[in-house]
Amino acid sequence: MSELEANHAEEPHIVSPKIYAMIAATLLICTGLTVAASYLELGPWNAVVALGIAVFKATLVVLFFMHIKYSSNLMKLTVGAGLFTFLALVGMSMSDYISRAWGSF
Amino acid sequence: MDSPTVALHESTHSEHPSYQRHHFVTMAQQRESASFGMWLFLLTEIMFFGGMFTAYLIYRNWYYPAFVAGSHTLSIVLGTTNTAVLITSSFTMAMGVWCAETRRRGGLILSIILTLILGLAFLGIKSVEYHEKWVQHHVPGLRFDAMSFVHPKAEPGQPAEPGLPLDMAQHTEVYFSLYFAMTGMHALHMIIGMGLLIFMLIKAIRGAYDNGNITFIENFGLYWHFVDIVWIFLFPLLYLISRHQ
């Protein structure tokens, strides 16, 4: 019966509705903030602020709505590996385009 | 799988739920495997949308004035409303997962219905925006005219935007191509998601999830939240960041 006991020991973590509601409220507030920030004249910082808030919102969704905060290390590593691969591919593509005209200015 | 609800065939065979596959030692292992597989699928989705995001970044740098002018034609009010609608639908879906985990059939059905309604509202608002693009001749390939960017008309109560040179005005077509590709792919994911929601709704009404076999709901939740995340990035990139240039 040890396997059955192990089953019970590893019941999945159930995220409470209270946490879901708090996260949803935070996401809606952040949406308001990012719209408000877009009406301010910040020059190049407009894009930085908007994307910063978007990254924060996406992180909340992944951690709480998608349960990664309460998941095993395998799941955390999977998400991290995906993020790393995405950033590496975008970063390398962008570095090509940024450096292509180098020396011809 | 083919055993009764609680199987106790032999002394070596421990109790387990009927939906635990025999190649898994524990339910925890089965859950972990299903979740892992779903995440691997979502990673391929990140790469798929990532390609379009990269194209957007590169073309935005090349044809910056055209992207600014194109972005100014979008409605911030509709975009913000849609963001709020989608975030709320993510919340109702998260509540659906919670109801399934705690075996509340009524709550699960209600959550799925609310998620469906909010998804429909999102697509409805999106179609209003698409219709506006059609009226304004901003649909690349089908109905496009760059002249409105060469000689912009003044909005009521606002000064007219400065016009673009003709060659740059024609590059607004690139902006709208990416706009339709990205929001269209996102909308397609929502339509597929709503098909799956209807499927889950029918099964939930029949009580298919009452025994705790809710892998499908949990994985669909991951998918729906992923679609939400894509929009969380599309909204500032397409609607917001060029407001002031």
Side-chain angles (χ1 to χ4, degrees), chain A residues 3 7 10 39-40 72, chain B residues 14 27 31-32 58 98 244:
Chain A
E3 280 170 16
N7 260 349
E10 295 180 55
Y39 282 94
L40 302 174
S72 65
Chain B
S14 59
M27 263 317 289
R31 264 195 304 272
E32 180 95 342
I58 290 168
W98 179 78
H244 275 292

Side-chain angles (χ1 to χ4, degrees), chain B residues 67-245:
Chain B
F67 272 56
V68 170
S71 169
H72 285 185
T73 66
L74 301 185
S75 160
I76 288 208
V77 175
L78 293 180
T80 309
T81 312
N82 250 355
T83 310
V85 166
L86 205 57
I87 285 172
T88 312
S89 86
S90 248
F91 169 68
T92 56
M93 194 57 229
M95 289 305 297
V97 171
W98 179 78
C99 289
E101 283 169 339
T102 53
R103 308 201 183 184
R104 291 170 160 82
R105 192 202 291 189
L108 174 63
I109 291 170
L110 178 67
S111 304
I112 293 176
I113 291 173
L114 287 176
T115 310
L116 258 177
I117 291 172
L118 289 164
L120 264 181
F122 180 93
L123 289 175
I125 294 173
K126 199 78 231 155
S127 62
V128 169
E129 290 187 275
Y130 278 5
H131 176 70
E132 199 180 313
K133 295 278 152 285
W134 180 262
V135 171
Q136 293 175 341
H137 295 258
H138 288 167
V139 183
L142 290 174
R143 195 172 146 100
F144 191 82
D145 182 10
M147 289 319 281
S148 66
F149 293 102
V150 182
H151 306 292
K153 284 199 211 84
E155 296 279 321
Q158 280 176 9
E161 305 220 1
L164 294 172
L166 182 60
D167 60 336
M168 187 53 82
Q170 279 166 342
H171 288 314
T172 55
E173 197 163 8
V174 178
Y175 172 82
F176 287 111
S177 297
L178 284 166
Y179 168 80
F180 278 104
M182 294 166 98
T183 60
M185 266 307 154
H186 179 263
L188 178 65
H189 277 77
M190 298 222 26
I191 291 167
I192 293 169
M194 288 169 65
L196 294 172
L197 272 169
I198 292 170
F199 172 74
M200 284 194 315
L201 180 62
I202 294 167
K203 286 195 76 174
I205 290 171
R206 289 181 184 162
Y209 303 114
D210 294 358
N211 62 357
N213 184 14
I214 58 162
T215 307
F216 192 90
I217 296 180
E218 285 178 329
N219 282 353
F220 177 81
L222 292 179
Y223 173 83
W224 196 254
H225 298 315
F226 166 79
V227 174
D228 188 24
I229 289 176
V230 171
W231 183 259
I232 283 175
F233 283 100
L234 283 180
F235 174 55
L237 283 177
L238 293 171
Y239 291 75
L240 296 180
I241 59 174
S242 304
R243 267 298 101 181
H244 275 292
Q245 282 77 16

Side-chain angles (χ1 to χ4, degrees), chain A residues 86-102 105, chain B residues 54 57-58 61-62:
Chain A
F86 171 74
L87 290 177
L89 290 174
V90 175
M92 286 162 79
S93 304
M94 294 308 282
S95 72
D96 177 26
Y97 280 97
I98 288 167
S99 61
R100 196 166 277 199
W102 224 297
F105 294 117
Chain B
T54 309
L57 287 176
I58 290 168
N61 275 315
W62 280 1

Side-chain angles (χ1 to χ4, degrees), chain A:
Chain A
M1 286 295 143
S2 63
E3 280 170 16
L4 184 65
E5 279 156 20
N7 260 349
H8 282 291
E10 295 180 55
E11 278 296 307
H13 183 97
I14 295 179
V15 185
S16 73
K18 200 178 145 196
I19 289 180
Y20 285 144
M22 275 162 51
I23 296 301
T26 313
L27 290 173
L28 289 174
I29 291 167
C30 285
T31 304
L33 280 180
T34 189
V35 173
S38 77
Y39 282 94
L40 302 174
E41 181 89 62
L42 300 174
W45 292 99
N46 274 117
V48 177
V49 170
L51 284 177
I53 293 175
V55 168
F56 177 67
K57 285 163 75 180
T59 310
L60 286 185
V61 173
V62 169
L63 286 182
F64 294 96
F65 281 0
M66 298 169 99
H67 304 156
I68 285 302
K69 184 177 190 293
Y70 311 98
S71 296
S72 65
N73 286 341
L74 170 67
M75 235 45 81
K76 289 180 172 128
L77 192 65
T78 308
V79 177
L83 188 67
F84 173 78
T85 312
F86 171 74
L87 290 177
L89 290 174
V90 175
M92 286 162 79
S93 304
M94 294 308 282
S95 72
D96 177 26
Y97 280 97
I98 288 167
S99 61
R100 196 166 277 199
W102 224 297
S104 53
F105 294 117

